[in-house]
Amino acid sequence: MNPEQWTEVDRYIGSALIPADPVLDAALKASADAGLPAINVSPAQGKLLHLLTRIHGARRVLEVGTLGGYSTIWLARGMLPAGGKVVTLEVDPKHARIARTNFEHAGLAKMIEVREGRALDTLPQLATEGRGPFDLIFIDADKVRIPEYFTWALKLSRRGSVIIVDNVIRKGEVTDAQSSDPSVQGVRQLNELLAKETRVSATTIQTVGSKGYDGFTLAVVN
Ligand code: SAH
Ligand code: DHB
Ligand code: MG
């Protein structure tokens, strides 16, 4: 068992279940050409987000951490054909610009609002504007602030809202209470928060694949 094998299996799953898609492929290529890091969700993970959006019948989706918009496209397409809206938050103007171009190319620009700025500024803005509640929230920005993003996600939720947090296993380092990695400590604080938080019911799934060994937390608001 090794990362090469996980990647090979992801390729195999992809070839069977996730047909090559010109729009998604172009979004990844444009992101890579612009020098964005390849830290987007994998195709299989993107499709899971898409399926969860469909299963939930989501019409309002919030994403924290856009990058080139690869996961955003999966989420937005989960609301077709009925329609819906994704608000996606991104601090880096270059990432936001590439993402907007990718959304135009995907024919999804009307469904997606990219908000530039630090999420800790744009999340309270959304609340002040009375935006939300969101049906589904995907938290995938800097990991240090995961607990704060989760708390904002709760404020922008309703009963039944689904909250997904990416990258919560960190190659297994999450169990190391002494870890000097601030991202690991961010995830550990999320788990402390979840241990006490009666307003949500949550689980965490470890994953391996083309993006290595990591995982995600899935929560529903009670
Ligand atoms: N969801 C994307 C990947 C996001 S990578 C996908 O799967 O396709 C994380 C993104 O969060 C990066 O683009 C980074 O610039 C952004 N980010 C980091 N800190 C942030 C902050 N404080 N506020 C908003 N976005 C932030
Ligand atoms: C990083 C961020 C992500 O959202 C991810 O899925 C993988 C890596 C990172 O910041 O390194
Ligand atoms: Mg991620």
Side-chain angles (χ1 to χ4, degrees):
M1 299 288 248
N2 57 60
E4 287 72 37
Q5 188 175 31
W6 306 338
T7 300
E8 181 56 26
V9 173
D10 249 355
R11 245 184 248 122
Y12 171 73
I13 293 168
S15 69
L17 305 176
I18 311 172
D21 183 299
V23 162
L24 286 165
D25 294 348
L28 286 184
K29 182 170 188 308
S31 302
D33 289 351
L36 272 52
I39 54 175
N40 50 276
V41 293
S42 73
Q45 291 163 345
K47 190 156 181 186
L48 176 65
L49 293 172
H50 167 89
L51 292 174
L52 287 170
T53 305
R54 283 180 57 187
I55 290 164
H56 195 42
R59 289 290 166 263
R60 280 172 296 193
V61 170
L62 173 63
E63 177 178 64
V64 187
T66 315
L67 193 67
Y70 181 76
S71 53
T72 324
I73 293 172
W74 275 114
L75 290 163
R77 285 176 165 183
M79 296 189 285
L80 296 174
K85 178 119 198 205
V86 187
V87 179
T88 183
L89 311 180
E90 175 55 56
V91 72
D92 187 318
K94 179 178 164 185
H95 296 185
R97 178 167 52 81
I98 302 295
R100 284 194 184 101
T101 311
N102 287 336
F103 301 150
E104 291 285 349
H105 183 251
L108 295 169
K110 282 206 177 72
M111 283 180 77
I112 304 171
E113 177 188 347
V114 185
R115 281 223 181 181
E116 268 178 65
R118 292 182 308 168
L120 281 184
D121 295 328
T122 49
L123 286 163
Q125 265 174 26
L126 290 172
T128 304
E129 290 168 22
R131 297 293 292 271
F134 292 93
D135 305 315
L136 186 146
I137 301 171
F138 179 48
I139 299 175
D140 192 24
D142 54 316
K143 311 308 168 187
V144 179
R145 304 230 182 260
I146 282 177
E148 282 130 296
Y149 297 153
F150 192 88
T151 301
W152 276 107
L154 266 179
K155 288 189 182 134
L156 292 163
S157 288
R158 56 163 172 88
R159 197 173 166 187
S161 291
V162 169
I163 305 174
I164 302 154
V165 188
D166 198 23
N167 311 116
V168 296
I169 299 298
R170 317 217 58 89
K171 299 186 167 75
E173 266 188 64
V174 68
T175 57
D176 180 4
Q178 311 311 322
S179 174
S180 57
D181 181 341
S183 297
V184 169
Q185 293 302 339
V187 173
R188 290 184 62 86
Q189 282 166 28
L190 170 69
N191 289 322
E192 283 164 31
L193 188 155
L194 287 172
K196 304 185 285 216
E197 181 54 77
T198 56
R199 285 174 296 172
V200 298
S201 180
T203 189
T204 292
I205 297 296
Q206 310 183 57
T207 58
V208 296
S210 60
K211 299 291 172 177
Y213 172 32
D214 215 324
F216 62 91
T217 294
L218 177 66
V220 64
V221 179
N222 295 319

